[in-house]
């Protein structure tokens, strides 16, 4: 990632040449993927359970929680495909007496890559989990002189449930962002926007061409135009979604992430492994998203991590060795009372 950023901002390569390099790389990887697809093992239910957790109990948190099972798009379906799983409580902060705060499932959306292309979906109820965002230490670069801290405020870390990547760097569209620290980049008309509304509620929508005032929204984050709006895929007919030169059709397969609001009023984060833009959009519509935006793309820029933060003496023993590929434990920086 550091090397890519140096090439992007340097005069020798620059953003346009870098997009050609990324396109060539993704093409090579995808052609190899097509060649090796038939030799790959089918994703196993045990592996999915290991990554996502245990089966969620229906009706544990109201009419829409856990969410209704999703209908698989490819036949025959994988074991557990579309079924919601409660994330492992050993690694997710919970509320005593409340249902699991995060549930996840997985879908396949690409008929040409049924073994290697997967869309993981994690949902939460915004009545229980508040979404907020923090500017990074280097991105986005502020037009107002503000500096991001790149970390969760220490006074709120005990409530931390999960964290995930944001949108593009400022060099890739300068899409708007504002945090409680102040404005970083002004809003872009017709950009997909997630915003904190006056009174604290969360809103998703497309920034209007005129009439909206930035100061009316305590915080917001934008990226591209909506991928799904009122259930319609790519309503603004955008052709460029990042990762390839603008003059080429974006058919590359890479890791892509998105955020959406569902018909049930739930929020969902999507992480697509080696998916096209259309594949990520199919995941959104299958999850009954009424509005969705794409976040960042490519391997090191996409991540979803869950956390369980508590006083060390209140954390129960795990009872098994840590899975070093997926799990970690340790003290909370700046909060010696928490682990």
């Amino acid at each position: 990632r550091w090397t890519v950023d140096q090439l992007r901002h340097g005069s020798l390569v620059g953003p346009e040449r870098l997009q050609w390099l990324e396109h060539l790389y993704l093409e090579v990887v995808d052609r190899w993927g097509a060649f090796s697809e038939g030799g790959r093992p089918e994703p196993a239910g045990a592996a999915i359970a290991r990554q996502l957790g245990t089966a969620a109990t229906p009706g544990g948190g109201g009419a829409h929680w856990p969410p209704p099972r999703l209908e698989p798009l490819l036949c025959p379906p994988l074991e557990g495909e579309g079924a919601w799983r409660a994330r492992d409580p050993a690694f997710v902060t919970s509320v005593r007496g409340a249902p699991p705060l995060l549930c996840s499932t997985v879908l396949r959306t690409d008929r040409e890559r049924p073994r290697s292309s997967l869309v993981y979906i994690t949902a939460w109820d915004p009545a229980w989990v508040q979404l907020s965002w923090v500017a990074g230490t280097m991105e986005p670069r502020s037009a107002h002189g503000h500096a991001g801290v790149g970390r969760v405020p220490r006074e709120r870390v005990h409530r931390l449930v999960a964290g995930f990547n944001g949108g593009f760097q400022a060099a890739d569209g300068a899409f708007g962002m504002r945090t409680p620290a102040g404005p970083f980049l002004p809003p872009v008309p017709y950009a997909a926007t997630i915003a904190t509304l006056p009174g604290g509620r969360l809103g998703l929508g497309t920034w209007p061409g005129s009439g909206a005032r930035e100061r009316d929204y305590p915080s917001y984050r934008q990226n591209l135009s909506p991928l799904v709006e009122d259930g319609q895929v790519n309503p603004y007919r955008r052709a460029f979604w990042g990762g390839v030169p603008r003059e080429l059709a974006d058919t590359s397969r890479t890791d892509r992430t998105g955020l959406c609001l569902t018909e049930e009023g739930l929020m969902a984060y999507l992480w697509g492994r080696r998916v096209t833009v259309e594949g990520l959009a199919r995941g959104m519509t299958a999850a009954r998203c009424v509005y969705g935006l794409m976040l960042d793309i490519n391997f090191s820029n996409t991540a979803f991590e869950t956390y369980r933060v508590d006083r060390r003496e209140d954390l129960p023993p795990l009872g098994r060795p840590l899975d070093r590929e997926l799990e970690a434990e340790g003290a909370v920086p700046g909060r010696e009372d928490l682990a």
Side-chain angles (χ1 to χ4, degrees):
R1 183 165 50 189
W2 179 88
T3 302
V4 169
D5 283 343
Q6 300 310 304
L7 295 174
R8 182 194 309 274
H9 299 297
S11 58
L12 183 62
V13 177
E16 292 185 5
R17 290 192 183 96
L18 181 63
Q19 286 174 357
W20 277 102
L21 290 174
E22 289 180 343
H23 170 66
L24 293 174
Y25 170 76
L26 292 175
E27 280 292 306
V28 170
V29 171
D30 190 49
R31 294 193 181 195
W32 171 252
F35 175 76
S36 60
E37 179 75 14
R40 290 176 178 267
E42 200 171 72
I48 293 173
R50 169 175 164 266
Q51 293 172 333
L52 299 185
T54 59
T57 303
H64 299 304
W65 191 256
R69 182 187 179 105
L70 303 184
E71 191 68 31
L73 301 178
L74 305 185
C75 292
L78 301 176
E79 179 186 351
E81 187 173 6
W84 293 95
R85 294 180 173 273
R87 300 301 289 257
D88 188 344
F91 293 92
V92 180
T93 297
S94 60
V95 177
R96 185 173 300 175
L101 297 180
L102 299 177
C103 286
S104 298
T105 189
V106 65
L107 291 175
R108 296 169 301 155
T109 63
D110 190 336
R111 296 185 184 280
E112 297 181 10
R113 302 288 190 275
R115 298 173 185 265
S116 59
S117 179
L118 299 171
V119 177
Y120 292 88
I121 306 168
T122 297
W124 62 91
D125 188 339
W128 282 96
V129 180
Q130 178 185 6
L131 181 65
S132 59
W133 40 98
V134 177
T137 56
M138 297 180 64
E139 283 287 340
R141 299 183 180 185
S142 173
H144 301 272
H146 298 293
V149 296
R151 64 174 56 196
V152 177
R154 286 183 295 178
E155 65 274 12
R156 299 175 62 186
V157 73
H158 65 287
R159 299 170 53 200
L160 182 62
V161 176
F164 54 86
N165 59 279
F168 287 178
Q169 294 186 14
D172 298 322
F175 295 103
M177 183 173 184
R178 183 186 184 102
T179 75
F184 281 76
L185 293 169
V188 175
Y190 308 110
T193 307
I194 178 167
T196 302
L197 307 178
R201 297 184 65 189
L202 193 70
L204 282 79
T206 303
W207 198 274
S210 61
R213 299 184 302 176
E214 175 188 4
R215 62 179 180 272
D216 290 342
Y217 301 91
S219 59
Y220 59 83
R221 182 68 168 103
Q222 297 182 313
N223 205 48
L224 301 168
S225 50
L227 184 56
V228 173
E229 186 174 46
D230 295 329
Q232 181 183 353
V233 173
N234 193 12
Y236 289 85
R237 300 295 183 262
R238 172 180 284 272
F240 176 71
W241 296 91
V244 299
R246 292 180 179 271
E247 54 266 37
L248 298 182
D250 193 349
T251 58
S252 60
R253 291 180 174 86
T254 186
D255 295 353
R256 301 177 186 272
T257 57
L259 190 69
C260 78
L261 178 69
T262 73
E263 293 178 4
E264 296 85 15
L266 304 176
M267 293 294 299
Y269 170 90
L270 295 90
W271 183 84
R273 186 184 76 186
R274 298 196 183 283
V275 296
T276 61
V277 176
E278 290 78 7
L280 185 67
R282 283 194 290 271
M284 284 189 180
T285 55
R288 297 182 293 276
C289 297
V290 294
Y291 192 93
L293 63 155
M294 196 167 80
L295 298 175
D296 214 341
I297 67 172
N298 295 336
F299 317 105
S300 61
N301 298 325
T302 60
F304 186 96
E305 295 182 346
T306 65
Y307 304 95
R308 178 168 179 174
V309 182
D310 210 334
R311 293 182 300 179
R312 189 179 298 274
E313 60 269 22
D314 292 336
L315 288 171
L318 185 58
R320 59 171 175 80
L322 280 174
D323 183 337
R324 297 294 177 180
E325 181 184 357
L326 299 173
E327 301 167 348
E329 63 180 356
V332 177
R335 288 291 302 269
E336 293 75 12
D337 57 321
L338 299 175

